[in-house]
Amino acid sequence: MVIGAGPGGEVLADRAVRGGLSVAVVEDGAVGGACSHTACVPSKALLRPGAALASARAVDGARQSVTGPPDPAAVLARRDRFTGRGDDAGQASWLAAAGAALVRGRGRIDGERRVHVTAADGTTRVLRARQAVVLATGSEPVLPDIDGLDGAGAWTSERATTADAVPGRLVVIGGGVVACEAATAWRSLGAEVTVLVRGRSLLSDWEPCAGEEVARGLTGLGAAVRFGVTALSVARDADTGEVSVETDDGGVLRCDELLVAVGRRPRTAGLGLEDVVPGYPASAADRLPVDDTGRVTSVPGGWLYAIGDVSGRAQLTHLAKYQARACAAALVERAAGRPAEGGPRQPWSAGAARTAAARAVFTLPEVASVGLTERAALGAGFTVRTAEYRTDDVAGAALHADGYRGHAKLVVDADRRVVLGCTLTGPMATELIHTATVAIVGEVPLDRLWHAVPAFPTVGEVWLRLLEAYGL
């Protein structure tokens, strides 16, 4: 049984059914989860038109044909075609075709392999799993302690991707991926945007070059990015609808909408975990302790699993799907009485899930990262060497866009001479990062990677330049 029909739950159900298991999926929202309806898909749909126009304007001969800004109504309509405005009929049909039973309602675990489901009309039923219960409930926005926030009607990430109109003035609180992408999207559609960042950089857990380039891109679009500023209180005028944001530097900002994007946490409230996970929630903090197959290690009997955001690992759709495939394979093996650990489809503690899940941010410019930053690698005890190169100086980049601006940084384990991490900024960064992912997962020695000759003239030639910068 799976609680949650987001990307991880869908993939797990499909793979488990194909492995011969019967699967019921419990979901109290839209099948497809946040990624399909309020996160990855709509955010990229909002961002892509502005990026396409920027690409055209970056090439002489094309820019002359660009005569205006994006059409907000057309952009929002295109987004809605991808999301169906919350209509999950298509994805529910896919789940049924995959052979899984969809049970609509809110699931709560009330005993070993028992799930109590409350439907929207208040009716209840109890489901019993023969093998296991898998939590795939995703994550939810964190709301900071700001005076007046509860009554201000502030946007969270869900509203930021589904709004029906472009706000005249938008204030964004936060400096992470959601804040940066939302600020880029709505500014490209004409909103006046101000970003308030409590710290001194955007994307603070990335290499510094990533946050620096995104900040430069936002200001280039005309957004205001203010660092070292904390919102103290917010209030919405009942008559005008205007929102006032008081900051700790003595200022007051006025806007039409306020977006709060300061992070997300695993969605575990109401699941009944306090009754089945020993010591929960104190023992779990912000994650459930899971092994390499997704099994919650603190639960006796090995019947409870968690994948995706709720497992407390990196909050990435593609990682949730990866974990789902590994978990499903383990469930199939265990149902047949065979050991599941150590097989080729359960490697996630050894590499991909912890150090090689690529992150892509579709701002202007794009930034992408995989593996460890220099700071994280040093903290993990590696002997680190780095190589950096301005992608601007690659011939393929200059041909791709006039005034191309980008940066590439490689983090290398100097003892083993293998790549530990990579960060790229600039156009095409999100498409180029997979090369680094393969190098990290495969632990490809630099001396062998040297023989992977990139095509000329492509932006990917930056890989040759990085290895040269390293000294090869």
Side-chain angles (χ1 to χ4, degrees), residues 71 130 210 241 294 409 456:
D71 181 329
R130 285 194 291 270
K409 180 173 182 178
F456 179 89

Side-chain angles (χ1 to χ4, degrees), residues 154-167:
W155 287 4
T156 61
S157 55
E158 284 83 356
R159 185 63 179 151
T161 59
T162 60
D164 293 327
V166 179

Side-chain angles (χ1 to χ4, degrees), residues 419-441:
V419 179
L420 294 173
C422 179
T423 297
L424 302 172
T425 76
M428 302 292 290
T430 58
E431 299 294 338
L432 292 169
I433 198 64
H434 191 60
T435 302
T437 305
V438 173
I440 293 170
V441 172

Side-chain angles (χ1 to χ4, degrees), residues 223-398:
V225 182
R226 298 174 57 186
F227 294 105
V229 178
T230 298
L232 299 178
S233 66
V234 300
R236 186 182 292 270
D237 188 288
D239 296 322
T240 66
E242 183 180 71
V243 180
S244 298
V245 183
E246 180 186 1
T247 57
D248 63 350
D249 60 359
V252 177
L253 293 170
R254 290 178 172 82
C255 58
D256 300 294
E257 297 294 349
L258 170 68
L259 166 61
V260 179
V262 298
R264 299 179 69 84
R265 63 187 170 209
R267 187 170 176 251
T268 57
L271 289 177
L273 296 181
E274 60 276 10
D275 296 328
V276 294
V277 179
Y280 183 87
S283 62
D286 62 348
R287 57 166 289 178
L288 289 171
V290 297
D291 67 12
D292 295 348
T293 65
R295 186 166 49 187
V296 180
T297 55
S298 58
V299 174
W303 57 271
L304 184 63
Y305 292 70
I307 62 170
D309 291 4
V310 75
S311 72
R313 303 194 177 187
Q315 295 176 353
L316 300 166
T317 294
H318 44 286
L319 179 55
K321 292 180 178 181
Y322 170 79
Q323 291 175 328
R325 293 191 293 270
C327 184
L331 290 170
V332 169
E333 293 300 299
R334 287 173 179 147
R338 297 186 292 266
E341 292 80 8
R345 287 178 287 182
Q346 285 84 46
W348 83 45
S349 71
R354 291 189 180 174
T355 60
R359 300 183 290 179
V361 186
F362 296 85
T363 45
L364 293 174
E366 294 179 351
V367 296
S369 175
V370 64
L372 300 177
T373 62
E374 180 181 3
R375 181 174 58 187
L378 288 169
F382 289 100
T383 303
V384 174
R385 277 189 61 191
T386 64
E388 299 188 55
Y389 196 82
R390 290 297 312 176
T391 318
D392 325 3
D393 295 331
V394 175

